[in-house]
Amino acid sequence: MRSLEVENLTVSVEGKTILNNLSLNLPKGEVHAIMGPNGSGKSTLAKALAGHEHYTVSSGAVLMDGENLLDLEVDQRARAGLFMAFQYPVEIPGVSIANFIRAALKARQGEEDSFDALAYYRRLYAEMDRLGIDRKFTGRSVNEGFSGGEKKRCEILQMAMLEPKYCVLDETDSGLDIDALKIVAAGVNHMRGEDRGILVITHYQRLLNHIVPDYVHVIVDGRIVKSGDKSLAVEVEERGYDWIKEEMAAGV
Amino acid sequence: MKNENAIDIDREKGNFHYDTTYEFDAGIGLNERVVNYIADVKEEDDWVRAFRLKALDIFKGKPLPTHWATKDLENIHFDKFRYYLSKGQQPSRTWDEVPDDVKETFERLGIPEQERAFLAGVEAQFDSEAAYSRMKEDLAKDGVIFVGSTEGLKRHPEIFRKFFAKVIPVADNKFSALNSAVFSGGSFIYVPPGVKVKQPLQAYFRINAESFGQFERTLIIADEGAEVTYMEGCTAPKFETTTLHSAVVELVALKGAKIQYITVQNWSSNVFNLVTKRARAEEEAEVKWIDCNIGSRLTMKYPGVILKGRRARGEVLSIALAGDGQHQDTGAKMIHAADETTSNIIAKSISVGEGRSTYRGQVHIPRRLRGCRNNTECDALLINANSRTDTYPAITVRGNHNSVQHEASVSKVSAEQIFYLMQRGMSEGEAMSLAVNGFVNDLVKQFPMEYSVELKRLIDLEMEGSVG
């Protein structure tokens, strides 16, 4: 029950099957990494879990702490505890970071609940300080004119503020220099804990030097073809993906 | 947040009405008898009666402006409206003296509460006449006048007549002529030289009766170096039949004076809202119109400033939200008539469902002038695939000694934006509201706090119904 279980998930985009009977179990308290070549279906998994309308689930199930995630709308999934850090965070002109995160928190409250603005800002500033985000960013429009690193840090800031049960990081390392990568990784590591499962989707092993995963899965052609511990990521980095594909072809 | 509740005026909040008996009723239709009835009831001077009757002739002689405006104007049946309804012309100075049904209406709309909270004076008009009018005593001591137009004409004819119908001549357009014939109510404000009214003065216009036309006439004069902010709110119940609201608002800012005029219009969707608003700004004077149009069936309104004196400044900040079945035809006029005058227009419109928003702007800078500047920005946001927006900017700038800047944009709330917001836990409606509020945010920030909160609420309510 305390896990995000993906069972035989098949997903298509515009009629083309991308994920093919993919299964994965992410228990709370663990960090799993998903690696794979371009076009293998990594981002599709993230978006299908979040419920993006372009991604059609034709079979399979996703259970989040026992609840059928696929029955829920995008926002219901989010409120139930699923967070996705976007590969390409979207600009929302005129909406400040502070108002945006507040709206997201308020969406999780009941009508009657009061919102403690002072406590909110105290927490927001603390998280921003930790992520090295200038406090002036509270007044900036969401992602508008942000550098790649600023956008990714801001995704982690939202994740920290919303305290999700399961986090899916979709290629959060793309476009980051090494300093930004370390800050983002520290932010993610800070969120590791018994009550949270984290799924790190990445193309490169580099990120996994800083966010050390409990398990590594390799995805090829929409399926997880190999799982292992952190050393698998190193092996992939050194040898590429072809040897795994060859193993598959050989039926190993 | 608690302070939001204090001005909890939403689209449905105005949708109620109490049966009321009227002492004075001009009957149905528009003719000389009706005009004379109004002049009789108000015991007006002959010059006012003559002014009204002449205006009626002009109104009759002018065609509807359907060569440029919507044909929906042809659905206004002028012979079906009632042009004057009142319980009497004497407004009360305390809420206790206001008749119960009227008082209850304004209490439901939260007016007495707002008055206590942040206003320097309030006038509350119920159909044709002000039911309540009161201003803080220290302002009266400074010589500030804030009364209804009926009272203004009677008690201050020397100021009233000097400025009346000078900024907007009777024949300006068909609806200014109509207003001139049957006007009643509206505010008359005079701020003496150097007096700065710190808190806003507010008027609230309430239509209560069915098939009724409200024709308030507002005249605001800020004498040299004076400053005043005036806010108006409007509501009406949702009747099956159409209602007509056709006001004329004239502002005069004498040398160095500042006038800020704020409208948050929230008419029900059966109201034709056809309003002429214009200001004259003398040397170094400043006039700012903040104009928010949310309700109504059709609104046609283009607040303007005639920049008459050197270094005068004019500004229009306009927000229009057109929902299903609504057409917001709004904009601004800036007529530069002196050197070094500057004007700024920022208009944002949002079209929801089959709503239609139209921007019309006129900027005029003649050849002989030097050092004039205009900046115009108009941005349209379309929510649904069937939403519509049109822009008709008319900019005539002659000579090489002046500068204009014009920017226009049309945007949509993208599916990716909505997905992003929903992934953070907001419902589709909340996501849409947040994106729309973001679109108007840089304008709303310039509003007084109480109004920006109300506007945000109105947008939230409009957007709730827009998705599905």
Side-chain angles (χ1 to χ4, degrees), chain B residues 23-26 33-45 49 52 84-90 128-129 150 154 184:
Chain B
E23 195 106 354
F24 303 98
D25 181 349
R33 186 197 59 76
V34 166
V35 171
N36 277 312
Y37 179 90
I38 296 171
D40 288 343
V41 164
K42 290 173 180 283
E43 297 169 351
E44 284 173 340
D45 287 347
R49 185 187 303 263
R52 288 182 182 279
Y84 183 86
L85 285 174
S86 83
K87 285 169 170 290
Q89 291 81 46
Q90 205 53 20
S128 295
E129 297 285 359
T150 309
K154 271 212 181 78
S184 183

Side-chain angles (χ1 to χ4, degrees), chain A residues 52 79 84 108 155 158, chain B residues 416-417 420 423-425:
Chain A
H52 194 292
R79 292 196 298 273
M84 176 177 136
R108 287 160 171 76
E155 291 292 290
Q158 294 165 42
Chain B
E416 289 309 310
Q417 286 173 321
Y420 187 67
Q423 210 298 309
R424 298 308 183 238

Side-chain angles (χ1 to χ4, degrees), chain A residues 52 75 78-79 82 84 91 94-95 100 107-108 143 155 158, chain B residues 416-417 419-427 430 434 438 441:
Chain A
H52 194 292
D75 55 322
R79 292 196 298 273
L82 181 74
M84 176 177 136
E91 294 179 6
V95 177
F100 171 62
R108 287 160 171 76
N143 296 319
E155 291 292 290
Q158 294 165 42
Chain B
E416 289 309 310
Q417 286 173 321
F419 175 66
Y420 187 67
L421 295 166
M422 288 179 74
Q423 210 298 309
R424 298 308 183 238
M426 288 165 239
S427 69
E430 287 165 347
L434 197 66
N441 185 43

